[in-house]
Amino acid sequence: MTSSTPAAPQGGERRRRDSRLGDKIFMNAARGSGILLLVVMAAIAGFLTWRSGIALSKNEGNFLTTFEWTPDAPKPVFGIAVLAFGTIVSAAIAMAIAVPVAIGIALFISHYAPRKIAQPFAYLVDLLAAVPSIIYGLWGALFLVPHLDGLTSWMDEYLGWTYIFDQSRAGTVPRTLFTVGILLAIMILPIITAVSREVFRQVPRMHEEAALALGATRWEMIRTSVLPFGRPGIISASMLGLGRALGETIAVAVVLSSNSVLSLHLLDPGGGTFAQNIALKFNEAQPFGRDALMASGLVLFVITLLVNGAARLIVARRKEYSGANS
């Protein structure tokens, strides 16, 4: 009677076993990283909420509607009305300028420019995306601000009837929210362009060729094939740029002449943003003043989460354009 011994695993079976082990390790590592990120985000939110509660419990003013920011006074009064207005308005101006221009540049690089021009142009865009904020801030203060007098005077003369472009103090240096919006647009333009360019390059070639074969012009092919496919990517790129615009600190602090006045005249100096206010006042603030700054930081944190959540919902509703089912 012979005894049978188990056969040694073949090479293919061993590779499959090692592959399954590698998949499990990667899956657990990815899951752990995601959980760690959520824990860190929850810890940040908890810390900001705790310090904000300390500040809000002693605030003598309405946190949402008060213009004044004097948390270290004997009777602390502070609010985010001016800061919220400045943050949202400057970011909106930046997005209105940057997004259309970025999409146009991305389309030019990916579908119009010859390769000899497109490649260096793409490198230049990527390089601009890596420029530090302080460089943009210094350029804005030393070059952009002095050269905006003509534009602001023209807008005051021809668009002053809109009230928001009515310059109530003519001749003042344009250290305004409008100038900040232009500077932020220049800063986020390379980011949106780079991401949109890569999205446009992922459009299936057969979609473009099919549109051209049916007699579409190049613009009609882009409008019917490229833009619908890349719409979720454009939204994601725009939200990435918006996140930088909302949280930009140094460049805004260098350019903007901040005060506690809320004015709808965008060409008048004044206003402020959350990030700029924190950067300028954190070092000189007393412990309670820092708690108040934490409270404003919590508001910015919530605004960022809401913006990103809204972007995710928009992308999810338009997933049929992502090309995943093509």
Side-chain angles (χ1 to χ4, degrees), residues 99-122:
V99 172
V101 177
I103 294 174
I105 296 174
L107 287 174
F108 173 76
I109 295 174
S110 61
H111 287 82
Y112 283 94
R115 178 174 292 272
K116 291 182 179 180
I117 298 177
Q119 202 71 15
F121 210 66

Side-chain angles (χ1 to χ4, degrees), residues 19-216:
S19 175
R20 288 195 294 268
L21 178 61
D23 290 341
K24 289 182 180 179
I25 294 175
F26 178 78
M27 181 184 67
N28 291 328
R31 182 181 299 167
S33 300
I35 294 174
L36 178 62
L37 177 61
L38 292 177
V39 171
V40 171
M41 294 292 290
I44 293 174
F47 176 76
L48 291 176
T49 302
W50 170 54
R51 297 292 294 269
S52 301
I54 297 174
L56 295 177
S57 63
K58 301 178 181 179
N59 186 13
E60 298 289 337
N62 189 303
F63 182 65
L64 298 178
T65 60
T66 300
F67 294 175
E68 188 179 355
W69 189 272
T70 55
D72 291 322
K75 290 186 177 181
V77 177
F78 57 92
I80 61 169
V82 175
L83 305 179
F85 177 80
T87 300
I88 294 173
V89 168
S90 60
I93 295 173
M95 295 295 290
I97 297 174
V99 172
V101 177
I103 294 174
I105 296 174
L107 287 174
F108 173 76
I109 295 174
S110 61
H111 287 82
Y112 283 94
R115 178 174 292 272
K116 291 182 179 180
I117 298 177
Q119 202 71 15
F121 210 66
Y123 290 149
L124 178 61
V125 170
D126 294 338
L127 180 63
L128 290 175
V131 174
S133 301
I134 185 61
I135 303 300
Y136 283 108
L138 293 175
W139 175 83
L142 299 177
F143 180 83
L144 182 62
V145 171
H147 288 81
L148 277 183
D149 288 329
L151 177 61
T152 54
S153 299
W154 182 88
M155 296 179 70
D156 178 41
E157 181 177 356
Y158 293 100
L159 299 176
W161 56 271
T162 61
Y163 186 80
I164 61 174
F165 294 125
D166 179 23
Q167 194 173 19
S168 61
R169 288 176 285 174
T172 57
V173 179
R175 293 182 174 274
T176 64
L177 290 176
F178 181 74
T179 304
V180 170
I182 295 177
L183 180 61
L184 291 177
I186 296 173
M187 293 179 64
I188 67 177
L189 182 64
I191 299 174
I192 303 176
T193 301
V195 177
S196 300
R197 181 193 71 222
E198 296 305 319
V199 170
F200 293 152
R201 285 180 174 175
Q202 303 304 317
V203 178
R205 187 66 181 172
M206 68 175 111
H207 288 189
E208 300 179 5
E209 294 176 351
L212 294 174
L214 291 174

Side-chain angles (χ1 to χ4, degrees), residues 250-278:
I250 299 300
V252 178
V254 172
V255 170
L256 183 63
S257 177
S258 61
N259 57 35
S260 298
V261 177
L262 193 155
S263 175
L264 296 179
H265 299 289
L266 300 184
L267 301 183
D268 288 342
T273 66
F274 286 114
Q276 175 235 18
N277 186 61
I278 294 173

